[in-house]
PDB file of all heavy atoms in Angstrom:
ATOM      1  N   HIS A 148     109.560  87.022 103.890  1.00  0.00           N
ATOM      2  CA  HIS A 148     109.021  85.610 103.663  1.00  0.00           C
ATOM      3  C   HIS A 148     109.946  84.884 102.873  1.00  0.00           C
ATOM      4  O   HIS A 148     110.832  85.365 102.146  1.00  0.00           O
ATOM      5  CB  HIS A 148     107.608  85.538 103.077  1.00  0.00           C
ATOM      6  CG  HIS A 148     107.413  86.112 101.820  1.00  0.00           C
ATOM      7  ND1 HIS A 148     106.222  85.898 101.036  1.00  0.00           N
ATOM      8  CD2 HIS A 148     108.213  86.677 100.922  1.00  0.00           C
ATOM      9  CE1 HIS A 148     106.294  86.361  99.951  1.00  0.00           C
ATOM     10  NE2 HIS A 148     107.596  86.997  99.735  1.00  0.00           N
ATOM     11  N   CYS A 167     112.260  83.430  94.831  1.00  0.00           N
ATOM     12  CA  CYS A 167     111.674  83.506  96.097  1.00  0.00           C
ATOM     13  C   CYS A 167     111.891  82.320  97.032  1.00  0.00           C
ATOM     14  O   CYS A 167     111.486  82.307  98.242  1.00  0.00           O
ATOM     15  CB  CYS A 167     110.162  83.613  95.904  1.00  0.00           C
ATOM     16  SG  CYS A 167     109.653  85.070  94.949  1.00  0.00           S
ATOM     17  N   HIS A 173     113.300  87.140 101.666  1.00  0.00           N
ATOM     18  CA  HIS A 173     113.372  88.554 101.118  1.00  0.00           C
ATOM     19  C   HIS A 173     112.145  89.276 101.757  1.00  0.00           C
ATOM     20  O   HIS A 173     111.299  88.587 102.251  1.00  0.00           O
ATOM     21  CB  HIS A 173     113.396  88.597  99.598  1.00  0.00           C
ATOM     22  CG  HIS A 173     112.199  88.041  99.006  1.00  0.00           C
ATOM     23  ND1 HIS A 173     111.962  86.725  98.879  1.00  0.00           N
ATOM     24  CD2 HIS A 173     111.038  88.555  98.637  1.00  0.00           C
ATOM     25  CE1 HIS A 173     110.733  86.490  98.379  1.00  0.00           C
ATOM     26  NE2 HIS A 173     110.128  87.759  98.285  1.00  0.00           N
ATOM     27  N   HIS A 175     108.987  92.521 101.671  1.00  0.00           N
ATOM     28  CA  HIS A 175     108.067  93.473 100.978  1.00  0.00           C
ATOM     29  C   HIS A 175     107.489  94.574 101.980  1.00  0.00           C
ATOM     30  O   HIS A 175     107.306  94.229 103.112  1.00  0.00           O
ATOM     31  CB  HIS A 175     106.894  92.712 100.330  1.00  0.00           C
ATOM     32  CG  HIS A 175     107.200  91.720  99.374  1.00  0.00           C
ATOM     33  ND1 HIS A 175     107.635  92.102  98.083  1.00  0.00           N
ATOM     34  CD2 HIS A 175     107.305  90.327  99.344  1.00  0.00           C
ATOM     35  CE1 HIS A 175     107.916  91.005  97.380  1.00  0.00           C
ATOM     36  NE2 HIS A 175     107.793  89.882  98.285  1.00  0.00           N
ATOM     37  N   TYR A 177     104.040  95.590 102.336  1.00  0.00           N
ATOM     38  CA  TYR A 177     102.754  95.146 101.926  1.00  0.00           C
ATOM     39  C   TYR A 177     101.816  96.222 102.121  1.00  0.00           C
ATOM     40  O   TYR A 177     101.804  96.784 103.187  1.00  0.00           O
ATOM     41  CB  TYR A 177     102.287  93.967 102.680  1.00  0.00           C
ATOM     42  CG  TYR A 177     103.054  92.687 102.323  1.00  0.00           C
ATOM     43  CD1 TYR A 177     104.040  92.244 103.077  1.00  0.00           C
ATOM     44  CD2 TYR A 177     102.554  91.890 101.235  1.00  0.00           C
ATOM     45  CE1 TYR A 177     104.748  90.991 102.762  1.00  0.00           C
ATOM     46  CE2 TYR A 177     103.169  90.685 100.929  1.00  0.00           C
ATOM     47  CZ  TYR A 177     104.332  90.341 101.625  1.00  0.00           C
ATOM     48  OH  TYR A 177     104.921  89.039 101.404  1.00  0.00           O
ATOM     49  N   GLU A 260     101.553  93.345  97.013  1.00  0.00           N
ATOM     50  CA  GLU A 260     102.804  92.980  97.420  1.00  0.00           C
ATOM     51  C   GLU A 260     103.885  93.787  96.929  1.00  0.00           C
ATOM     52  O   GLU A 260     104.976  94.056  97.429  1.00  0.00           O
ATOM     53  CB  GLU A 260     102.948  91.447  97.139  1.00  0.00           C
ATOM     54  CG  GLU A 260     104.239  90.774  97.745  1.00  0.00           C
ATOM     55  CD  GLU A 260     104.279  89.321  97.267  1.00  0.00           C
ATOM     56  OE1 GLU A 260     104.345  88.891  96.130  1.00  0.00           O
ATOM     57  OE2 GLU A 260     104.123  88.513  98.306  1.00  0.00           O
TER      58      GLU A 260
HETATM   59 ZN1   ZN B   2     108.082  87.893  97.979  1.00  0.00          ZN
END
Side-chain angles (χ1 to χ4, degrees):
H148 67 169
C167 301
H173 66 278
H175 298 282
Y177 288 96
E260 193 174 62

